[in-house]
Amino acid sequence: AIDFSSIVNFCRLLPPLILPRIPILIMPGKLANGICCFGPSFFVSLAFILSLFAQRRCNYISINGEASNTGNKGVSYLVSNVGVTCWQDGHGNSWLYSSGVNALEEVRAAQDLSLATIIMGTTAWALFVLAGCVRFPPAAWLLISAILAATAVTEGLVYRDMFDNGYCGESGACSRGTGAKCAISAMTFWTLSSFMCFGVFREATDIQNAEEEGP
């Protein structure tokens, strides 16, 4: 059997400011929330990795047309791929969006949504890390489920804004790149994790009610 004593001891040292408004209970010698949180924990981790990969790639969208953009030296280049934070020219060179590089309004909106996705995804992932050694009340699982649902929505909005832009309007030949395909997978796993967390919420509620009723 795996000895979780070292993890429990670490959790006892966690500052109380981590979850100031959510009462938690250190559970000695075993996982605090049981095996039931392993399923959504796996999918949250997978969604988080895929989302980061999708939004940091320069090939979210592949463009097969005559769209162009301006590099940081003021030179125009044909665009072959477009990402949330960068784009690639026809020679495979990657360019960051900056003050000297043209960035469409839709791409700027996608960047803001991308930041929101990363923040919420990181929060959900961190809570699942803590779930191994601190017992959350049912309301906490309901909150995590809502965060995951919101993350899935913002992931989808990033996808929408990335394809609803002037590049695709100019060329009329946009296709999903590696980033977009990863984003679709991430959105699926965010959604699945949200439903599974709601199931954990219901199970935690039943356990709490049984404990309050006593033997």
Side-chain angles (χ1 to χ4, degrees), residues 135 138 201-214:
R135 181 178 176 182
F201 157 72
R202 296 183 61 181
E203 182 171 347
T205 301
D206 293 340
I207 293 175
Q208 185 180 66
N209 292 336
E211 291 175 347
E212 291 175 353
E213 293 175 359

Side-chain angles (χ1 to χ4, degrees), residues 98-161:
S98 63
S99 58
V101 180
N102 176 40
L104 298 175
E105 291 297 329
E106 294 84 359
V107 174
R108 293 193 182 97
Q111 290 172 349
D112 294 336
L113 290 167
S114 171
L115 178 61
T117 301
I118 292 174
I119 291 174
M120 291 188 293
T122 302
T123 301
W125 183 81
L127 289 172
F128 271 103
V129 172
L130 291 176
C133 51
V134 294
R135 181 178 176 182
F136 296 150
W141 288 110
L142 187 60
L143 175 62
I144 296 173
S145 178
I147 292 175
L148 290 170
T151 307
V153 171
T154 54
E155 189 84 57
L157 291 175
V158 171
Y159 181 89
R160 182 202 65 180
D161 286 346

Side-chain angles (χ1 to χ4, degrees), residues 14-35:
L14 291 175
L17 296 178
I18 293 178
L19 293 172
R21 296 182 181 275
I22 301 178
I24 59 179
L25 174 64
I26 301 297
M27 300 293 289
K30 62 180 180 179
L31 288 177
N33 296 281
I35 197 70

